[in-house]
Amino acid sequence: MDLEKLISLGAVRKFDEGDTIFREGDIVSEMFIILSGRVGVFRSSPAGRPEKLMVLQQGDFLGDVAVTDDMPENVSAIAESQVIAISIAREDFPFFVKEMPDLALSVIKSLAGKVRLLEQRSKPAPEEKGASVPVGDAQTAAGQSLSKGVAPGSLVWPEGHKTYQIYAPETDKQYYYEKEVSCPVCESSFRTKIPRMTKLRLERRDHDLREIYADFNPLWYTIRTCPFCYFSENYVDFDKYHRLSKNALQPYQEKAAQLRGRFTLPPAEPLGIDRVFAGYYLALYFKDEDKDNPLAIAKLYMSLSWLYQDIGDVEWYERSWQKAFAYYREAYYNSTVKLKPEHEQQLSIILGELHLRRGERKEALQHFYRAIRRGDGTPYYNNLARERYMEVKEMA
């Protein structure tokens, strides 16, 4: 972002925490580009109480509707911390478009995302108009297709994907912290949520090695997505890309460039499962450059299958774990990446479980047996595989 050019086109504005930047119903004649701080965006609910739609932060746009029409604002904006922003007057917007076309395109994409959020919030939920579906509820808006900008069959979304009225519970806030990070691909800074894994209590481990925690689902926060170029990766591995050379980063930058104007990221606040799914599919999109590591792709598809299972979408659950199965097999039999003994045991157990889902009992037993026989592996996985082997034998 060229700050000098931006300042020449607008003016620097400061707001203190709690300041009302504009109210619902105001006629606003300027747009803001947030340089620092957080702004809460609210709308009046049918009950008369303010409903929080999203939180905007560094790099986000506020009042972008104001530069496109003379209608009153349909939301209120309140500073949730000290905010520094650049304001662009409506009459200066044509010059802004001419001088900074890339940033102007981002404004249009931002506007489209907000319109889509308002449209989604205006639709009746499955049980009651205006209510969202709680996390874990199997009822979904399964027949809705994704709107323009995130259309099925695009570069990122698979054909026929759906949207879901499912949002993260407020209690999630006690299990993650926020941190400012920089993107290795476009070098932009943004804030992200990181799970506090030390605060989580493990309830159980499923046969496919999924770990279930009490009161929190870390899968919602596993993928980190840059809101500027859309580069996405597991938060544990995201920063590793900073160590890549310019030549090694170039393929990722080229893939990011292909998304400009062709993809709109669902809003981050309030966090919905659509934003979570977007992160995973973006990660798969960028993993195209990492085809020598099918295990990483398999893990993404497996996580997707668990998320679809949580929301009760049987069709996409099936699609995802079948995709995971194909990549796990590739990783086990054909990959050049050498696995540690305990990782090979894990892979054997997962493949055994997926073969079992496919009705392939013989192949399932073979994989469980390989995990048992791995002498240099971990005793925990030896015993886990042995127990599962005996259970499957008894099933017969």
Side-chain angles (χ1 to χ4, degrees), residues 371-384:
I372 296 168
R373 297 290 295 172
R374 189 77 203 221
D376 55 351
T378 303
Y380 171 80
Y381 292 115
N382 291 122
N383 294 331
L384 197 66

Side-chain angles (χ1 to χ4, degrees), residues 104-115:
L105 178 60
S106 297
V107 173
I108 295 169
K109 289 160 60 180
S110 168
L111 178 58
K114 291 171 185 173
V115 169

Side-chain angles (χ1 to χ4, degrees), residues 12-295:
V12 176
R13 298 280 302 275
K14 293 183 181 180
F15 302 93
D16 291 327
E17 183 176 353
D19 282 356
T20 298
I21 300 172
F22 54 75
R23 289 185 174 85
E24 190 172 348
D26 287 352
I27 301 292
V28 181
S29 59
E30 58 187 335
M31 177 193 78
F32 300 94
I33 302 171
I34 300 172
L35 300 181
S36 65
R38 300 187 310 279
V39 177
V41 178
F42 300 83
R43 183 183 65 175
S44 296
S45 68
R49 296 187 298 272
E51 175 191 13
K52 192 171 186 177
L53 297 175
M54 65 186 77
V55 175
L56 303 178
Q57 49 196 7
Q58 185 184 53
D60 288 333
F61 305 100
L62 176 66
D64 27 358
V65 177
V67 296
T68 61
D69 62 31
D70 296 317
M71 299 297 291
E73 275 289 349
N74 55 5
V75 295
S76 299
I78 300 173
E80 296 190 343
S81 67
Q82 185 182 70
V83 173
I84 300 175
I86 291 178
S87 73
I88 306 290
R90 183 190 296 121
E91 58 267 24
D92 294 329
F93 190 67
F95 302 101
F96 170 76
V97 173
K98 180 180 177 182
E99 294 295 320
M100 308 190 76
D102 287 347
L103 200 54
L105 178 60
S106 297
V107 173
I108 295 169
K109 289 160 60 180
S110 168
L111 178 58
K114 291 171 185 173
V115 169
R116 187 169 57 256
L117 173 64
L118 288 172
E119 287 177 345
Q120 184 186 46
R121 285 302 188 89
S122 299
K123 291 178 181 178
E127 292 292 335
E128 178 184 357
K129 187 174 181 179
S132 60
V133 180
V135 173
D137 195 324
Q139 296 181 24
T140 66
Q144 296 179 1
S145 356
L146 288 160
S147 11
K148 189 176 181 182
V150 286
S154 68
L155 289 172
V156 175
W157 295 100
E159 186 70 38
H161 203 272
K162 308 159 190 172
T163 56
Y164 307 84
Q165 294 179 353
I166 300 176
Y167 299 91
E170 283 291 316
T171 52
D172 275 10
K173 291 180 179 178
Q174 60 188 299
Y175 297 109
Y176 65 72
Y177 64 95
E178 293 194 21
K179 178 184 177 182
E180 186 153 320
V181 298
S182 63
C183 175
V185 173
C186 70
E187 300 181 350
S188 298
S189 296
F190 61 96
R191 292 187 69 79
T192 187
K193 298 177 177 68
I194 303 173
R196 296 182 183 273
M197 298 305 291
T198 55
K199 292 189 69 174
L200 303 186
R201 179 170 60 84
L202 182 66
E203 283 192 334
R204 71 177 191 274
R205 184 176 283 107
D206 289 345
H207 290 312
D208 59 11
L209 301 189
R210 179 187 180 180
E211 295 179 334
I212 307 293
Y213 295 91
D215 306 318
F216 184 73
N217 186 352
L219 293 175
W220 280 59
Y221 303 92
T222 295
I223 302 298
R224 181 180 298 172
T225 298
C226 171
F228 299 98
C229 73
Y230 307 134
F231 175 69
S232 300
E233 177 58 281
N234 188 302
Y235 75 91
V236 175
D237 299 320
F238 190 89
D239 291 333
K240 294 178 183 178
Y241 289 80
H242 282 294
R243 299 197 289 269
L244 296 182
S245 66
K246 288 185 178 181
N247 287 340
L249 278 174
Q250 188 175 352
Y252 299 97
Q253 292 165 344
E254 290 173 353
K255 288 190 76 69
Q258 292 173 25
L259 292 176
R260 289 178 195 153
R262 303 176 67 184
F263 180 82
T264 302
L265 193 63
E269 297 290 346
L271 179 62
I273 194 68
D274 298 317
R275 171 70 176 232
V276 176
F277 284 142
Y280 278 93
Y281 283 112
L282 282 165
L284 285 166
Y285 170 78
F286 282 99
K287 280 294 179 192
D288 240 13
E289 301 307 319
D290 197 17
K291 290 176 180 174
D292 290 336
N293 188 3
L295 185 56

Side-chain angles (χ1 to χ4, degrees), residues 321-334:
W321 73 252
Q322 290 280 15
K323 283 269 193 181
F325 172 75
Y327 281 103
Y328 276 131
R329 278 186 59 84
E330 181 69 19
Y332 191 82
Y333 291 105
N334 301 319

